Amino acid sequence: MKTKTDKKIYLDYAGTTPVDKEVLREMLPYFNKKFGNASSIHSFGQEAIAAIDKAREKIAKLFNCDFSEIIFTGSATESNNLMIKGLVKSQISNLKSQKFHIISTKTEHESVLEPLKELERAGHKVTYLPVDKDGLIKISDLEKNIKDNTILISIIYANNEIGTIQPIKEIGKLLEKINKKRQENGLSKIYFHTDTVQALNYLECRPDWLKVDLLTFSGHKIYGPKGIGGLYVRKGTPLSAIISGGSQEFGLRSGTENVPYIAGMAKAVELAFKNREKHSKYILDLRNKLWENIIKYNKDIKLNGSFGSRLPNNLNMRFAGLSNETLIIALDQAGIAVSAGSACSSRALAASHVLKAIGLTSKQMKESIRITLGKNTTKEEIKRAAEIINKTVKQFIN
Ligand code: PLP
């Protein structure tokens, strides 16, 4: 018989989160009772479109934006592809130019980096801003790199591996000034995008507050379902569809709408906004306790990234001389699920471009693990996790 202490401890909330009970309740009727296709004229279809409208309205209200500025996609990966490829596609015909410049960072998620690489292969130029050892870009670097043909700046709000929070609002303010000048000089506007997939649970993410034109979010990092994402698109932002078909989502994302997932994600966004402060405080306190309990017994441990400008739920650390693969497997066997922060779809541990960007050697990268807490993490779990981590590490390092 399993005792309470045998229960597995999940500390990989940046990887994914369990669906919240309230979210699930919101979703369930749309699988079989209200199962209509939103494109159908009959009452079943009307029920489906009403649910999508309600979800869009809910998110628009929370984001303080217009109903038509919220686009539902199949994932944040798709949102990032849409905003990058869709903007470039649109500007190629609007500005009658074939070659553009984009600014991003070395620590973006792969769903931004890979579409950018595709654009480079097609002849566009991309500047990947470096980061310091804390994972932060320099705003002066960004300003220096702006060119006449820059059309997009895309910067992740909070990093998925090391939790570093970039100064998005400050950049937004600066870009407002820069765009004013560009307009006077007859240059095209630079659009500003941020990926809030990891940030939405913990940080203020209203697009008008951040002064962004495009903003990506995902269902499954905020206690919603997997396989659903969203993109905020400020009115007037040029964007062409990259998936064509039945012209759903204001023509920007064809495909029959996933009604239960849309309803679920809207509920998850609502709960994230409602509980942000409470959960942030609670999780930060637990995270700091865990860190204190680990460093007390491990002299050779180092935190990767910044302590100050970091998401409250994130710890990314390295134990000198201990491979992360060995440690992750040993911890899993001892009942704790943690991550390396970066993995290929093959589940093999990939060398992390983020850890490389903050200056880690390949040996240090292979010694790094990511621990991420969530709203369901308990004080008891953290106490037990610290004991297990310290005991497990001691088996390998003495
Ligand atoms: N952006 C960031 C920062 C992420 O952490 C992730 C997922 O790990 C994504 C984008 C992709 O999200 P999705 O799984 O919805 O495609």
Side-chain angles (χ1 to χ4, degrees), residues 14 75-77 80 109 111 156 158 160 195 197-198 218 220-221 228:
S75 60
T77 297
N80 285 340
H109 187 262
S111 56
I156 192 166
N160 46 300
D195 176 334
V197 166
Q198 297 288 343
S218 176
H220 73 108
K221 310 286 184 174
I228 182 80

Side-chain angles (χ1 to χ4, degrees), residues 278-292 312-313 373 379 382:
K278 188 175 81 183
H279 287 164
S280 294
K281 265 196 204 140
Y282 170 73
I283 290 168
L284 180 69
D285 183 49
L286 288 184
R287 197 271 316 263
N288 290 347
K289 279 202 176 82
L290 178 62
W291 178 239
E292 281 161 22
N313 73 327
L373 285 64
K379 225 179 185 167
I382 286 304

Side-chain angles (χ1 to χ4, degrees), residues 71-88:
I71 309 297
F72 294 120
T73 65
S75 60
T77 297
E78 190 190 319
S79 301
N80 285 340
N81 272 266
L82 171 61
M83 69 89 191
I84 292 171
K85 295 175 188 169
L87 184 82
V88 169

